Amino acid sequence: MSHGVTNQRYFITLLFLITGFIFSNLIQAEPRTMARGYVFEDLNRNGVRDLNERGLHRIIVSNQQEVTTTRKDGSWELPSSDDTIFFVVKPSGWMTPVNHHNLPLFYYIHKPKGSPDLKFEGVKPTGPLPSSIDFPLHRQSEPLKFQAVFFGDPQPRNQKELDYIARDVVEELVGTKAKFGVTLGDILFDDLSLFERNNSIISQIGIPWYNVIGNHDLNFDGPDDRTSDETFHHHFGPNYFAYEYGPVVFIALDNVKWNGAKPKGTGRYTSWLGQDQLKFLKRLLPRIPKEKLILFMMHIPLYQTQDREELFRMIEDRPYTMSISGHTHWHGHRFLGENEGWKGEKPHHHVINVTVSGSWWSGEPDEVGIPHAMMSDGGPNGYTIFNFDREKAIIDYKAARRPANYQMNVFAPSEVTSDSGSPNFVYVNVFNGSDRSTVQMRIGRTGKWISLKKVLEQDPYLVALKKQEKERPEILGRNLPDPKLSDHLWKAHLPNDLPPGEHLISVQTEDMWGRIFHASRSIRVTNEKPKAPPIKTNKKTKSSGK
């Protein structure tokens, strides 16, 4: 027999085996369930696709992994499992419905059997997959310039601390010009039964409110990361999602990975995005034009997220990206570069947001009973207001119940002597300051301006408050946190040759956007020398004799 015939038979046999293998697997594979629906213009805002309401073309829809866009008639289809959340990416110039708490309704949860049995309520059984999952949108005007509010870690333990949120920040935000708000995780402090009350309070602000999941918003009795989000899903929908407003794209991320409850009911979390979320981003980002600003919103700072470089590789060629987080209970600006794994042409600007709860509602209560809650960097509790203008974002730090121009704290001795031989310092804590800020001071109204040096030290005012706590154990409220090295502290020597009398220290700071803010402090100079501390002697008890 010739070699040609042998080879021919060999290839026929191989082809037969391969075909049989493929056919066998096709028979055994379960049919892939597809979800279908429409995105439509809801003219009468009743949430139902009526006959006269047209479908919307090229709207992004996702199942948190795959991403598609609607056809000309507004239809879409995506794969579905028995644990899938579908959502529409709200486009610029359109809005989704909101519920009675002003929470946007941009999603559909498909959990036929509902959530597993957990301490806090999850999603109730949703039943079979609907024949059509429809997302209503209505038109709204969205300017190129607009404001948004960002809360870090409100983190209330109980109703008392929910009331702090209402009195401290919500009341002053009623009537805000901001178009929407976002809470950057740790919406609560472990007691997830408080979500409904919290949402009712935040809704009083009167604007749509989005929520990012934090480590204190998890079902700690969940056996894995997927089940740890069930109560969050019940109240807010998907744990990561995206939407547009005006010229800006907002992407909410879940970078809190729950590693599972241990036998004793305890567990640990780490900061990961995970492959499912990265798949979603890999499919979403190519659909976003590069000229648009993208703000990534998360709970744990991005530079602490272990698989952050996979995200970095997707966005390093984009000229306009920023990110924002909470979690640390101090405020700061980080410009991420090679040390953090970023390889873009310019550093990536990451904001660690001031927290609503400050230092977990610690410190002495004021005259209305609300703790001052100073954070460990010496900054007051509060929130930020982002001022968006196309691809730019300018950030305002708003201290709770303080004037908008309260942007720094000047710390100096109340009294010094004119011939003091020891150095006296002026410290300026610029709450929203960064490496790109400058700070100057002058003594008197016509004195020479002196540049202050940025230092990495503990805020001296917070140090003084901590000293008071130790000396006055009767102070009401929880103890303040130990001071950390502040990211936004400046320092200069106070001149020793000041004449006796009252002197005004004027301070001005210029931030990274060229805005100038002012503050002042009065000090007193005297001729009196400081009293020497009493000399301590070790007196020995005399012997009474033998």
Side-chain angles (χ1 to χ4, degrees):
M1 187 181 289
S2 69
H3 288 292
V5 174
T6 303
N7 288 339
Q8 186 178 13
R9 287 182 176 178
Y10 171 78
F11 284 117
I12 291 171
T13 303
L14 182 63
L15 181 62
F16 177 79
L17 290 172
I18 293 172
T19 305
F21 176 80
I22 294 172
F23 182 73
S24 174
N25 278 274
L26 284 173
I27 293 174
Q28 293 176 18
E30 294 182 6
R32 200 178 193 198
T33 304
M34 298 297 289
R36 296 176 175 83
Y38 291 84
V39 179
F40 67 97
E41 182 175 7
D42 191 9
L43 295 171
N44 58 10
R45 302 195 186 186
N46 66 351
V48 178
R49 185 166 61 96
D50 298 316
L51 290 175
N52 64 328
E53 293 176 333
R54 68 185 180 95
L56 299 176
H57 187 206
R58 294 179 180 172
I59 308 298
I60 297 173
V61 181
S62 177
N63 62 3
Q64 290 200 289
Q65 289 191 47
E66 287 88 358
V67 172
T68 189
T69 53
T70 55
R71 305 180 184 96
K72 286 185 178 181
D73 63 351
S75 63
W76 61 270
E77 66 176 28
L78 285 166
S80 175
S81 72
D82 283 350
D83 186 4
T84 306
I85 303 180
F86 303 95
F87 63 87
V88 62
V89 176
K90 184 196 89 63
S92 176
W94 296 84
M95 185 54 192
T96 63
V98 296
N99 71 5
H100 60 295
H101 288 324
N102 278 323
L103 299 173
L105 299 174
F106 59 95
Y107 58 88
Y108 176 80
I109 300 175
H110 178 58
K111 295 179 188 278
K113 298 179 182 178
S115 297
D117 187 20
L118 298 165
K119 179 180 178 181
F120 299 107
E121 183 183 9
V123 178
K124 294 179 180 178
T126 58
L129 190 69
S131 59
S132 185
I133 300 173
D134 299 335
F135 294 113
L137 296 175
H138 60 265
R139 295 178 186 272
Q140 70 175 7
S141 176
E142 296 183 357
L144 296 176
K145 297 181 180 181
F146 65 95
Q147 292 181 335
V149 179
F150 290 86
F151 281 6
D153 304 59
Q155 214 163 334
R157 294 172 174 84
N158 47 41
Q159 184 60 53
K160 184 177 182 180
E161 294 184 355
L162 283 169
D163 291 340
Y164 291 160
I165 296 170
R167 305 287 91 77
D168 212 27
V169 295
V170 168
E171 289 178 357
E172 73 177 25
L173 275 168
V174 174
T176 178
K177 294 179 181 178
K179 300 302 182 182
F180 60 87
V182 181
T183 297
L184 298 163
D186 284 3
I187 306 161
L188 299 176
F189 202 159
D190 300 344
D191 185 354
L192 307 190
S193 68
L194 298 175
F195 271 136
E196 187 71 16
R197 297 187 212 174
N198 172 82
N199 297 342
S200 179
I201 289 170
I202 301 301
S203 72
Q204 302 306 308
I205 298 172
I207 56 179
W209 205 271
Y210 296 90
N211 290 273
V212 173
I213 194 166
N215 54 287
H216 286 284
D217 305 318
L218 303 180
N219 294 88
F220 291 138
D221 52 340
D224 53 31
D225 183 54
R226 194 174 188 89
T227 54
S228 69
D229 303 339
E230 294 293 331
T231 303
F232 184 91
H233 291 167
H234 169 67
H235 290 278
F236 306 111
N239 48 310
Y240 54 91
F241 56 92
Y243 62 94
E244 295 184 49
Y245 191 98
V248 184
V249 178
F250 298 86
I251 301 179
L253 300 178
D254 174 2
N255 65 343
V256 183
K257 180 185 178 184
W258 178 242
N259 295 314
K262 304 303 179 185
K264 293 184 179 180
T266 60
R268 292 179 179 272
Y269 67 88
T270 50
S271 186
W272 286 86
L273 294 169
Q275 287 306 306
D276 286 352
Q277 194 166 192
L278 289 167
K279 282 180 187 175
F280 164 67
L281 292 169
K282 194 173 293 184
R283 292 161 178 169
L284 172 69
L285 289 167
R287 300 174 187 271
I288 299 173
K290 287 191 176 180
E291 65 270 15
K292 288 200 169 193
L293 169 64
I294 302 177
L295 180 65
F296 294 92
M297 310 176 296
M298 65 206 72
H299 179 61
I300 299 175
L302 183 55
Y303 57 85
Q304 295 178 357
T305 302
Q306 296 183 37
D307 53 354
R308 62 185 177 275
E309 290 196 45
E310 292 190 53
L311 171 59
F312 286 171
R313 300 295 91 82
M314 299 181 207
I315 63 174
E316 283 164 336
D317 63 339
R318 289 180 171 270
Y320 310 116
T321 63
M322 286 181 66
S323 54
I324 185 171
S325 67
H327 190 58
T328 65
H329 292 259
W330 49 266
H331 184 82
H333 296 269
R334 293 292 174 91
F335 301 96
L336 309 185
E338 290 184 8
N339 290 340
E340 295 79 21
W342 174 264
K343 298 178 182 178
E345 183 180 348
K346 296 179 180 179
H348 176 82
H349 184 187
H350 181 80
V351 181
I352 303 100
N353 207 64
V354 53
T355 55
V356 169
S357 66
S359 51
W360 303 272
W361 300 110
S362 62
E364 195 164 16
D366 62 14
E367 70 280 4
V368 295
I370 301 176
H372 65 75
M374 181 175 286
M375 298 187 297
S376 59
D377 62 351
N381 75 308
Y383 50 90
T384 57
I385 298 173
F386 274 55
N387 302 277
F388 292 101
D389 182 359
R390 296 176 177 85
E391 74 280 0
K392 298 178 182 177
I394 297 175
I395 303 166
D396 291 325
Y397 186 119
K398 178 62 178 66
R401 290 184 297 141
R402 302 295 289 266
N405 63 359
Y406 179 58
Q407 294 294 311
M408 68 190 97
N409 183 38
V410 182
F411 185 87
S414 297
E415 181 179 299
V416 298
T417 59
S418 57
D419 59 349
S420 174
S422 60
N424 292 301
F425 294 102
V426 176
Y427 285 88
V428 181
N429 191 331
V430 183
F431 311 136
N432 199 28
S434 72
D435 292 340
R436 300 178 182 181
S437 301
T438 60
V439 182
Q440 294 181 304
M441 74 172 189
R442 68 180 180 186
I443 312 298
R445 299 187 182 280
T446 58
K448 182 180 178 182
W449 286 102
I450 301 167
S451 293
L452 280 74
K453 181 181 178 182
K454 191 173 187 294
V455 295
L456 200 60
E457 297 182 18
Q458 296 176 344
D459 180 88
Y461 182 53
L462 179 56
V463 171
L465 291 179
K466 287 295 292 180
K467 184 180 179 183
Q468 281 184 9
E469 281 185 350
K470 293 178 181 179
E471 294 173 350
R472 295 172 52 203
E474 75 280 3
I475 285 180
L476 299 174
R478 297 186 185 89
N479 286 345
L480 290 164
D482 291 330
K484 72 171 288 289
L485 300 179
S486 180
D487 267 16
H488 37 79
L489 193 66
W490 280 259
K491 176 181 179 181
H493 284 281
L494 191 64
N496 287 327
D497 57 352
L498 293 174
E502 293 289 332
H503 294 270
L504 184 70
I505 302 174
S506 298
V507 176
Q508 72 174 30
T509 180
E510 183 174 346
D511 67 16
M512 70 178 83
W513 301 285
R515 301 180 301 174
I516 295 176
F517 300 95
H518 299 272
S520 60
R521 179 177 173 83
S522 179
I523 62 168
R524 181 171 60 258
V525 178
T526 70
N527 283 323
E528 297 178 9
K529 293 183 178 180
K531 294 180 180 179
I535 299 174
K536 294 182 179 179
T537 59
N538 295 323
K539 295 182 179 180
K540 293 182 180 179
T541 305
K542 293 184 179 180
S543 173
S544 57
K546 293 180 181 179

